[in-house]
Amino acid sequence: NAGVMQNPRHLVRRRGQEARLRCSPMKGHSHVYWYRQLPEEGLKFMVYLQKENIIDESGMPKERFSAEFPKEGPSILRIQQVVRGDSAAYFCASSPGRDKTPLHFGNGTRLTVT
Amino acid sequence: DAKTTQPNSMESNEEEPVHLPCNHSTISGTDYIHWYRQLPSQGPEYVIHGLTSNVNNRMASLAIAEDRKSSTLILHRATLRDAAVYYCIPGGNDMRFGAGTRLTVKP
């Protein structure tokens, strides 16, 4: 049973380009969470999605960032017009349900903006 | 949202038990208490969770206060590989992480 798969593991983008981060949840999991971790800082919640629906995006910056979790395929975190401050590790987690079930995390995508 | 208070850092000697405390005084009655840890350069990993009763698994034990306003994660014999940041999260919709406790294990 494969775990949460994130790709790419490392992504380098120039300022102004777009970054697309993919997350394939564990089989049978319909809930996905995205987190951002700046160097030497803690995990910051960004968005919580259930298949085709955004449940909570209160941690997402209002501009340039968007997330989706389509009926088919992985969840995508999209960052438009990246800036140096977007350089961070982005982690995705999945679970089969809310609250009671543990989250399973991927190994993250490390985004570097040059 | 329930807020948590954890010590910023703790130290332990190898092979000794470690008790990692967490205060979550505003936890709601139906929220499970989750513990995760993050090893250096890795994603967080689930450690244990519980609601009211104490819980044990192969990684750790979780002791939950009777009033549920605090809990303690117990590593029975710390190893160097247990050095990590440990997060206590009263579960809810958002599963927000606090700053956690950085555990250092000395040989």
Side-chain angles (χ1 to χ4, degrees):
Chain A
N1 188 15
V4 177
M5 303 299 293
Q6 288 190 251
N7 64 80
R9 286 298 307 275
H10 299 275
L11 181 62
V12 179
R13 284 288 178 265
R14 290 200 180 100
R15 278 179 298 170
Q17 290 185 320
E18 178 180 288
R20 290 170 75 89
L21 287 62
R22 288 177 291 277
C23 169
S24 296
M26 285 184 69
K27 188 176 180 181
H29 287 194
S30 59
H31 296 247
V32 164
Y33 301 73
W34 284 93
Y35 294 85
R36 176 164 66 174
Q37 188 169 39
L38 296 169
E40 304 302 320
E41 293 191 13
L43 286 154
K44 296 290 187 189
F45 166 79
M46 298 182 75
V47 62
Y48 162 39
L49 309 103
Q50 195 179 354
K51 276 288 186 183
E52 299 185 271
N53 293 306
I54 295 174
I55 307 300
D56 181 351
E57 57 181 347
S58 57
M60 285 270 275
K62 292 279 186 278
E63 297 178 351
R64 301 190 297 108
F65 285 71
S66 62
E68 62 177 11
F69 188 16
K71 188 176 179 182
E72 302 290 339
S75 176
I76 305 286
L77 179 68
R78 183 178 174 212
I79 311 172
Q80 295 178 289
Q81 298 175 325
V82 295
V83 300
R84 288 227 171 98
D86 296 332
S87 295
Y90 292 83
F91 292 98
C92 163
S94 74
S95 76
R98 296 163 41 149
D99 184 23
K100 300 176 183 58
T101 56
L103 299 179
H104 297 259
F105 281 84
N107 284 325
T109 293
R110 278 150 184 83
L111 172 66
T112 302
V113 179
T114 61
Chain B
D1 292 345
K3 294 189 176 169
T4 59
T5 304
Q6 295 180 258
N8 288 335
S9 61
M10 291 184 66
E11 277 190 359
S12 171
N13 294 318
E14 203 176 6
E15 303 289 317
E16 289 186 356
V18 182
H19 290 233
L20 297 161
C22 179
N23 287 325
H24 32 77
S25 57
T26 58
I27 191 171
S28 75
T30 56
D31 280 348
Y32 278 68
I33 300 153
H34 300 252
W35 282 81
Y36 292 82
R37 71 180 186 181
Q38 187 174 21
L39 279 65
S41 302
Q42 293 188 28
E45 65 173 340
Y46 164 78
V47 177
I48 200 166
H49 76 292
L51 185 62
T52 55
S53 303
N54 294 344
V55 184
N56 300 295
N57 66 21
R58 64 175 179 80
M59 288 180 73
S61 295
L62 177 60
I64 301 171
E66 200 168 324
D67 62 7
R68 293 193 0 105
K69 294 186 176 182
S70 65
S71 61
T72 302
L73 180 70
I74 302 165
L75 307 179
H76 295 285
R77 290 180 67 193
T79 70
L80 296 177
R81 287 169 24 174
D82 290 323
V85 179
Y86 286 79
Y87 298 97
C88 157
I89 306 172
N93 249 2
D94 54 26
M95 298 295 277
R96 282 174 162 82
F97 284 68
T101 296
R102 183 175 297 277
L103 175 66
T104 303
V105 180
K106 296 185 289 186

